[in-house]
Amino acid sequence: MALQDLCNTQDYFLDSITTECPSLPFGKKTGRNNMSGLPFRNSTSQFNFYIPVAEYLGESPIQFGQISTVQSSSTISSEDPILSSLALPTNFPLASSQSVPLPFPMSHGTTTLAFIFQGGVLAAADTRSSCSGLVACPAAQKILPIHSHLVGTTSGTSADCALWKRILARELRLYQLRHGRRLSTCGAAKLLSHMLHPFKGTELCVAATLCGWDGSGPSLYYVCSDGTRLQGKLFSVGSGSPYAYSILDQGVQWGLTVDEATSIAREAVYRATHRDAYSGNCVDVFHISSKGWTRRSREDLKEEYYREKEREERRKRQDRNLSG
């Protein structure tokens, strides 16, 4: 389902833009206005995102996509007529209006992690979705598949993460149809970063880790709702991340097998859920390789807790026998 189905809107271009630039890099546009029957015919929609041209995806973020939301349309038009038709709207209602106070403070808590090893990328997350001091859902899906070789771990507001995952999946599918090839993980992270940046300073809360495999091999990128984009080999996001890092830093190595990497990821999530009240219930594990992503069966972390207790009791009995 596209964004138009959710918001009852559709992408369109103004008559002046379609007259000046009837042919665009991403397909042909006609001068006919499809919004003639709607009351906001000549207004711009905040969901008409700036979609980058293919050759710009390899440039640095300083040279690419840095279009100020307060920049006048005449300045953009003087620079490039194609960018003027694809640029972001000059006014964002959500970014310019005052934020609505929430009825109560909404605290977010989760544990998500991902790291690169010789077998690809491994992503793991707990399944507890919390709202302040309440457990909203004990079986939430925090690792969302985007396409066959790309998944994203989500942290923040669940509704925002789910919506932007669907928007990114739609744009990546459109890119593949237009250019006949799949966009790289780096390009997907850059696209998501530029789409989220205009909402900086609002109540939007999205922290995603894109885990993918493309022509250059395994890739890992962290993207935040303020437009931050970081590349790395190991990320852990959420309130339980400090506890997860204590396991990941001493266990993650390049030469791990899939079983060893899965064991370390499960152990890191278990330790985080044991110490962090906002994380818990079950653990999801995804493995992304050259053949695509595969999902491990969901496990209840309380079973791991009981196994840990049994191991501790076994060690205590062994110590007593040795000392006696």
Side-chain angles (χ1 to χ4, degrees):
M1 182 182 295
L3 180 65
Q4 295 91 331
D5 301 327
L6 295 176
C7 305
N8 196 21
T9 61
Q10 62 185 60
D11 294 335
Y12 63 95
F13 293 82
L14 297 180
D15 292 337
S16 59
I17 296 178
T18 54
T19 303
E20 296 176 359
C21 185
S23 177
L24 297 177
F26 300 139
K28 296 180 179 180
K29 298 291 182 179
T30 60
R32 183 173 61 89
N33 193 338
N34 296 327
M35 309 292 287
S36 57
L38 298 179
F40 45 91
R41 173 180 177 181
N42 293 326
S43 62
T44 58
S45 172
Q46 61 177 339
F47 296 107
N48 286 330
F49 300 108
Y50 170 51
I51 308 302
V53 185
E55 55 265 25
Y56 289 172
L57 292 174
E59 298 183 6
S60 65
I62 299 178
Q63 300 173 349
F64 166 74
Q66 300 298 324
I67 299 178
S68 176
T69 57
V70 299
Q71 190 175 5
S72 62
S73 59
S74 59
T75 307
I76 298 177
S77 301
S78 61
E79 295 176 355
D80 195 336
I82 296 180
L83 289 180
S84 64
S85 62
L86 296 176
L88 286 167
T90 56
N91 53 347
F92 286 93
L94 291 178
S96 59
S97 61
Q98 296 181 355
S99 59
V100 179
L102 299 175
F104 54 88
M106 298 180 64
S107 301
H108 307 285
T110 184
T111 300
T112 64
L113 59 93
F115 57 87
I116 295 177
F117 66 108
Q118 66 174 358
V121 185
L122 200 79
D126 71 309
T127 62
R128 176 176 293 179
S129 179
S130 59
C131 179
S132 186
L134 305 176
V135 177
C137 179
Q141 185 74 24
K142 298 183 180 181
I143 304 179
L144 305 177
I146 300 175
H147 59 66
S148 61
H149 288 72
L150 181 64
V151 302
T153 68
T154 57
S155 178
T157 306
S158 300
D160 294 339
C161 295
L163 174 63
W164 283 98
K165 173 263 174 186
R166 298 174 71 175
I167 295 174
L168 179 61
R170 181 195 69 172
E171 298 301 333
L172 294 183
R173 178 58 177 163
L174 290 175
Y175 181 93
Q176 184 178 2
L177 293 174
R178 288 163 179 157
H179 301 281
R181 59 184 176 87
R182 186 180 294 122
L183 186 61
S184 64
T185 307
C186 177
K190 185 177 292 186
L191 177 61
L192 180 61
S193 174
H194 288 308
M195 289 192 300
L196 289 175
H197 184 267
F199 296 90
K200 180 180 181 180
T202 65
E203 297 292 340
L204 183 70
C205 183
V206 176
T209 305
L210 299 183
C211 318
W213 186 292
D214 49 28
S216 60
S219 302
L220 195 61
Y221 287 87
Y222 168 75
V223 181
C224 189
S225 54
D226 60 357
T228 302
R229 179 174 59 94
L230 302 174
Q231 182 183 11
K233 296 182 179 180
L234 189 153
F235 288 109
S236 182
V237 185
S239 57
S241 59
Y243 311 106
Y245 272 124
S246 64
I247 304 299
L248 297 175
D249 288 340
Q250 65 179 351
V252 174
Q253 300 175 2
W254 172 255
L256 295 174
T257 63
V258 176
D259 292 337
E260 291 173 344
T262 303
S263 177
I264 292 176
R266 290 173 59 255
E267 178 73 13
V269 175
Y270 163 69
R271 296 299 178 184
T273 56
H274 183 65
R275 296 294 181 182
D276 180 35
Y278 295 101
S279 305
N281 295 101
C282 302
V283 56
D284 287 331
V285 178
F286 279 70
H287 176 223
I288 304 93
S289 64
S290 59
K291 299 180 180 179
W293 60 264
T294 56
R295 179 181 179 181
R296 182 184 174 92
S297 299
R298 177 174 289 186
E299 296 182 69
D300 195 338
L301 288 171
K302 69 179 180 181
E303 301 298 333
E304 183 67 25
Y305 174 78
Y306 294 138
R307 286 193 291 266
E308 178 67 18
K309 289 297 183 181
E310 292 178 359
R311 288 193 292 266
E312 290 181 359
E313 293 179 359
R314 193 180 302 113
R315 286 194 297 267
K316 291 180 180 178
R317 288 196 298 266
Q318 293 176 356
D319 293 341
R320 286 196 297 265
N321 293 335
L322 293 175
S323 62

